[in-house]
Amino acid sequence: MLKLKIVSPERIEFEGEVESVLVPGTLGQFEILVNHAPIISSLDKGRVVYTLPGGEKKPLDIYGGFVEVQKNVVSLCIEINEE
C-alpha cells in the first residue's frame, strides 16, 4: 500500500492508504504504484485519481501543484477550485 496525503492551501483534502495514484504531470499523465522510484514533479491542470483499497476510484480536479514520492509515501500539494 501507498500512504497518500493531499493538501491544498485551505485544508488536508485526503490522508490515508491507497493502491495507486494517477496524476497529471507536466510532461504527461503518470501512475504511482507501490515501490515507485523517488520523484518530485510539477503537476498541470487535470485530474488526480486515487484508488482506495478494494478498488474504488476517487477523482479530484486540480489546477496544478507538485507531487513527491519517497518510500511508498506520496505527498501532493495542489491548487483546487473552491466553488
Side-chain angles (χ1 to χ4, degrees):
M1 283 295 161
L2 296 167
K3 291 184 182 179
L4 173 62
K5 185 171 186 178
I6 303 174
V7 296
S8 69
E10 292 77 26
R11 65 180 171 270
I12 296 173
E13 302 293 332
F14 176 83
E15 188 168 13
E17 289 193 339
V18 299
E19 293 178 355
S20 65
V21 185
L22 188 66
V23 295
T26 304
L27 298 177
Q29 194 174 51
F30 65 95
E31 188 171 26
I32 300 160
L33 301 170
V34 174
N35 296 325
H36 194 286
I39 187 174
I40 296 175
S41 176
S42 57
L43 300 175
D44 277 347
K45 181 178 178 180
R47 178 169 282 179
V48 171
V49 180
Y50 52 96
T51 305
L52 299 174
E56 182 183 358
K57 295 186 183 297
K58 296 283 194 174
L60 179 64
D61 292 323
I62 68 168
Y63 285 97
F66 292 90
V67 60
E68 178 185 19
V69 181
Q70 193 169 35
K71 296 181 182 175
N72 290 322
V73 176
V74 182
S75 301
L76 292 174
C77 182
I78 58 163
E79 295 177 40
I80 60 172
N81 189 358
E82 285 295 326
E83 288 183 16

